[in-house]
Amino acid sequence: MMDLTRRGALAGAVTTALLTATEAFAMSDPDLIIVNAKVTTLDRANPSADAVAMRGGKFLAVGSEAQVRAAVRPGATRIDARGRRLIPGLIDSHIHVIRGGLNYNMELRWDGVPTLADAMAMLKRQVANTPPPQWVRVVGGFTEHQFAEKRLPTLAEINAVAPETPVFILHLYDRALLNAAALRVVGYTKDTPNPPGGEIMRDSSGNPTGLLLAQPNATILYATLAKGPKLPEEYQLNSTRHFMRELNGLGVTSVIDAGGGYQNYPDDYRIIEKLHGDGQLTLRIAYNLFTQKPKEELKDFASWSTQVKPGDGDDTYRHNGAGEMLVYSAADFEDFRVERPEMPPSMESDLEPVVRLLAERRWPWRLHATYDQTISRALDVFEKVNRDIPLQGLNWFFDHAETISERNIDRIAALGGGIAVQHRMAFQGEYFVERYGAKAAEATPPIKRMLDTGLPVGAGTDATRVASYNPWVSLSWLVTGRTLGGLGLYPVRNRLDRETALRLWTERNTWFSNEVGKKGQIKQGQLADLALLSDDYFSVAQSEIAQLRSVLTLLGGTVVHGEGDYADIAPALPRPMPDWSPVATFGGYHRAPETAKKLASACSCHSACAVHGHDHAAALGASAPAADVQSFWGSFGCGCWAI
């Protein structure tokens, strides 16, 4: 066996050609084995193992080290897992990775940042780094409830750190904060009218303050963001590669892209398709097409369905169907700070011809639907179409479904559909409880009931403009039932055990891209996608699940990410472009400072706090308000300051 100890060894090593009397085998990449691992296969026939072998991009053998060694050819490359937990590569069934990749390098991420003081210090530093006419953008992935201070920055605070550089901060689907410089650039004045479903907040003289509200339509937020400068193509290629590598670092190997506004096909797919053509994708991407123009939805899908069909592509990049927007009159924005929106009377008449076209042409679809009322009306349409064109076998599904009823779960099951859930409640649960009460929030969404029905159920993030792209935040929410602010939403009966939650992020998600049996498990013959974890998902404290990462990620048996002990075998990645990119300074998802981790780990009671480890927060200095012990609460419900 040959140890993998230097960059490029995996790609460059070859086996000796084996010759027979009738054929000659060309030299090829060596088999790869990983040994000394705690392997969670999610294969019920072979649930755990110590080692895995890979050949030709697929799993060759899964079992003991002796069994794996017996299966490989001479000269196999060996990686020592050093006793770490090994899991199938994670699959995000709802993310906007294609659009997100075009902008990732321009965005300052507050994902996981524990205090507003820290967030504002990052903002101030990035303002100093950003040249005119560029903006500083914080685009989703966080909530005010994750901050110790339990609030957003004020407009005065933003203007103080950025008097000249435009700043745009998007908070969930509910609001955007613009400093005075950004207001000048976008041209909002006293005379700018409010768009339908949105509001430009004004002072007593009628001048815009910089606060934009979705009421409940978020179009004003996204339309304003779209006014900012875009990266040139070379930088968008670089940006997308960095976003993919960021996801790889969290153990993600596959995604289903849910399209998005301002993401038209095929024009806005040039970057991802070039990366695919150049062999630079480090994620498997199945993409859905999202209609772009109200009242022209049928025209979009009629045209697209003559250009591409579901399944076109390969195991790395393939078309997956329609949605999540099918018609604009069926879009119920989930801003829980405002009343549930009533869908217009035209919803059914708009939706039916689109669904009928998709069913006729055998296009799977996904439909954004937050509320049970919207789902009921959509199901009326689906059932009507089903009487003429059976929907069974289409793998169509609803996204979100936070308030879905048991009756509608049964209706979906009868039509052969599924439900993809996301952890939006981890970011917005407090607002839901304020409006509807704690009792109503106990099953939002009712995942246990969905699973009991036998319905296909998968999990994802809906990143990046609302929730974070970090899958471990979702897994933490599924297991603990808590928001990022620490609010307990779900009783034990509505939470998932760790294995079930992991299945929603792996094998169960394969139904949503019509790839059941192809990936999602560590099993002979499946695609060799896996993640070696920074700590053991099955034994760490619940409060630490959200802090997990991958130290080694493989896609088709090829290393796409490595850190720590495996940094030397990670593939090289160009520096983020442009050179002022927030990614170059701060990276992606927030990581706790190593000094804080060491202080916390030295304390026998540190596991109660996932952020600072009890009063060790004082060691972080002014960024953590440790002096106010009664009011300080950290991310994921740290309550140690109240005792």
Side-chain angles (χ1 to χ4, degrees):
M1 296 294 173
M2 176 173 57
D3 279 321
L4 189 60
T5 57
R6 65 187 185 276
R7 187 188 310 276
L10 180 61
V14 294
T15 58
T16 303
L18 301 176
L19 301 177
T20 70
T22 57
E23 61 183 330
F25 292 91
M27 297 184 71
S28 62
D29 287 341
D31 295 342
L32 172 65
I33 66 171
I34 299 179
V35 300
N36 192 22
K38 292 184 286 190
V39 184
T40 296
T41 68
L42 298 181
D43 175 7
R44 298 188 192 280
N46 181 31
S48 60
D50 304 314
V52 299
M54 290 155 274
R55 177 187 296 169
K58 296 182 178 181
F59 291 113
L60 174 67
V62 183
S64 67
E65 182 171 346
Q67 291 171 321
V68 163
R69 285 179 179 271
V72 298
R73 298 174 296 206
T77 301
R78 174 182 176 276
I79 297 177
D80 186 352
R82 308 188 185 200
R84 295 185 183 275
R85 178 67 61 182
L86 186 70
I87 64 170
L90 299 177
I91 303 169
D92 191 330
S93 59
H94 186 137
I95 188 171
H96 301 272
V97 72
I98 295 174
R99 181 183 66 192
L102 302 179
N103 302 292
Y104 178 71
N105 279 2
M106 289 194 294
E107 295 174 356
L108 175 66
R109 307 304 307 177
W110 282 356
D111 304 39
V113 175
T115 75
L116 179 59
D118 290 331
M120 290 301 291
M122 293 169 66
L123 180 65
K124 183 176 182 179
R125 184 174 176 187
Q126 186 57 42
V127 166
N129 290 345
T130 303
Q134 299 295 333
W135 297 13
V136 177
R137 312 169 211 220
V138 180
V139 184
F142 78 101
T143 171
E144 64 178 320
H145 299 289
Q146 79 190 41
F147 295 142
E149 299 88 339
K150 299 298 182 186
R151 68 176 180 86
L152 292 173
T154 66
L155 292 167
E157 289 170 332
I158 298 169
N159 280 305
V161 301
E164 301 297 335
T165 302
V167 171
F168 176 98
I169 300 174
L170 177 69
H171 181 253
L172 308 177
Y173 274 141
D174 65 46
R175 63 195 55 214
L177 304 174
L178 281 67
N179 67 345
L183 278 177
R184 290 193 296 269
V185 170
V186 300
Y188 293 167
T189 68
K190 181 187 292 188
D191 299 323
T192 304
N194 288 330
E199 185 173 2
I200 301 171
M201 297 300 290
R202 304 169 194 274
D203 61 22
S204 58
S205 300
N207 295 307
T209 63
L211 175 61
L212 308 180
L213 296 179
Q215 298 283 27
N217 192 319
T219 299
I220 185 176
L221 312 181
Y222 300 153
T224 305
L225 176 61
K227 293 176 181 288
K230 293 178 172 57
L231 292 174
E233 181 172 314
E234 180 186 4
Y235 291 10
Q236 289 180 341
L237 291 164
N238 178 281
S239 178
T240 301
R241 292 185 66 188
H242 276 273
F243 190 27
M244 290 191 296
R245 183 68 69 88
E246 169 75 355
L247 292 168
N248 296 151
L250 294 164
V252 178
T253 54
S254 289
V255 301
I256 307 178
D257 185 90
Y262 301 94
Q263 187 178 328
N264 194 39
Y265 183 84
D267 297 345
D268 295 318
Y269 289 72
R270 292 195 315 272
I271 296 298
I272 202 71
E273 290 182 352
K274 178 171 174 49
L275 290 170
H276 174 240
D278 291 344
Q280 293 184 329
L281 293 187
T282 60
L283 292 172
R284 304 188 192 280
I285 300 174
Y287 63 94
N288 285 70
L289 297 184
F290 183 118
T291 188
Q292 296 295 305
K293 297 177 182 178
K295 302 301 182 183
E296 295 188 25
E297 300 96 338
L298 183 61
K299 180 180 177 182
D300 270 343
F301 292 117
S303 173
W304 291 336
S305 60
T306 64
Q307 300 176 51
V308 65
K309 64 181 185 296
D312 281 357
D314 55 32
D315 289 339
T316 306
Y317 181 73
R318 61 198 299 272
H319 178 51
N320 197 54
E324 64 182 298
M325 183 75 79
L326 297 183
V327 296
Y328 280 82
S329 57
D332 63 348
F333 294 99
E334 90 305 347
D335 182 358
F336 299 133
R337 283 183 157 178
V338 300
E339 294 182 0
R340 176 183 62 83
E342 285 287 351
M343 298 299 95
S346 65
M347 172 182 161
E348 288 83 353
S349 60
D350 293 340
L351 185 60
E352 182 182 340
V354 170
V355 171
R356 191 170 293 276
L357 173 79
L358 296 173
E360 287 172 347
R361 299 190 180 182
R362 309 312 289 170
W363 268 46
W365 69 81
R366 63 193 307 162
L367 180 63
H368 165 111
T370 300
Y371 298 99
D372 189 57
Q373 293 84 347
T374 309
I375 293 169
S376 289
R377 292 177 62 181
L379 284 171
D380 291 342
V381 173
F382 297 172
E383 288 168 346
K384 182 179 179 181
V385 173
N386 182 68
R387 288 193 286 269
D388 300 324
I389 311 168
L391 304 185
Q392 286 285 348
L394 263 185
N395 289 36
W396 65 270
F397 56 97
F398 283 104
D399 281 302
H400 316 312
E402 277 85 0
T403 71
I404 191 171
S405 63
E406 292 190 5
R407 176 175 178 271
N408 280 338
I409 292 173
D410 293 337
R411 292 173 73 191
I412 294 170
L415 291 173
I419 300 176
V421 300
Q422 297 80 38
H423 63 309
R424 304 186 308 178
M425 287 292 288
F427 291 77
Q428 303 184 87
E430 286 84 355
Y431 303 138
F432 188 96
V433 170
E434 286 173 9
R435 180 164 293 278
Y436 300 108
K439 186 67 178 176
E442 287 186 352
T444 48
I447 300 173
K448 278 283 191 71
R449 175 66 170 80
M450 297 173 187
L451 292 171
D452 290 345
T453 307
L455 201 68
V457 181
T461 60
D462 197 12
T464 59
R465 291 183 173 179
V466 179
S468 174
Y469 52 75
N470 188 338
W472 300 103
V473 178
S474 170
L475 284 156
S476 176
W477 165 74
L478 290 168
V479 170
T480 69
R482 290 186 175 273
T483 68
L484 271 73
L487 177 65
L489 294 173
Y490 314 136
V492 173
R493 67 180 182 276
N494 290 338
R495 302 177 211 157
L496 302 184
D497 63 82
R498 298 191 195 202
E499 181 177 317
T500 300
L502 184 60
R503 286 185 185 276
L504 262 62
W505 264 93
T506 50
E507 57 147 341
R508 284 185 171 271
N509 265 343
T510 61
W511 183 90
F512 298 87
S513 58
N514 283 279
E515 295 177 287
V516 174
K518 181 178 284 189
K519 61 185 181 182
Q521 298 167 292
I522 298 177
K523 184 177 181 179
Q524 184 180 12
Q526 291 202 12
L527 294 170
D529 303 343
L530 55 80
L532 190 65
L533 302 184
S534 58
D535 209 335
D536 192 341
Y537 166 67
F538 288 99
S539 62
V540 296
Q542 286 189 349
S543 60
E544 296 176 12
I545 292 175
Q547 310 304 320
L548 292 174
R549 292 185 54 82
S550 174
V551 296
L552 179 68
T553 306
L554 272 64
L555 185 77
T558 297
V559 175
V560 293
H561 164 78
E563 61 184 60
D565 295 334
Y566 307 97
D568 287 346
I569 61 174
L573 188 66
R575 181 174 173 79
M577 299 166 63
D579 56 8
W580 52 264
S581 168
V583 175
T585 304
F586 301 105
Y589 194 89
H590 175 77
R591 299 204 206 186
E594 290 301 316
T595 52
K597 290 180 182 177
K598 291 176 182 177
L599 286 168
S601 64
C603 174
S604 62
C605 53
H606 78 279
S607 62
C609 172
V611 181
H612 299 117
H614 286 281
D615 53 10
H616 301 310
L620 297 180
S623 66
D628 187 358
V629 297
Q630 294 301 315
S631 67
F632 179 77
W633 293 74
S635 299
F636 293 95
C638 168
C640 59
W641 304 100
I643 59 174

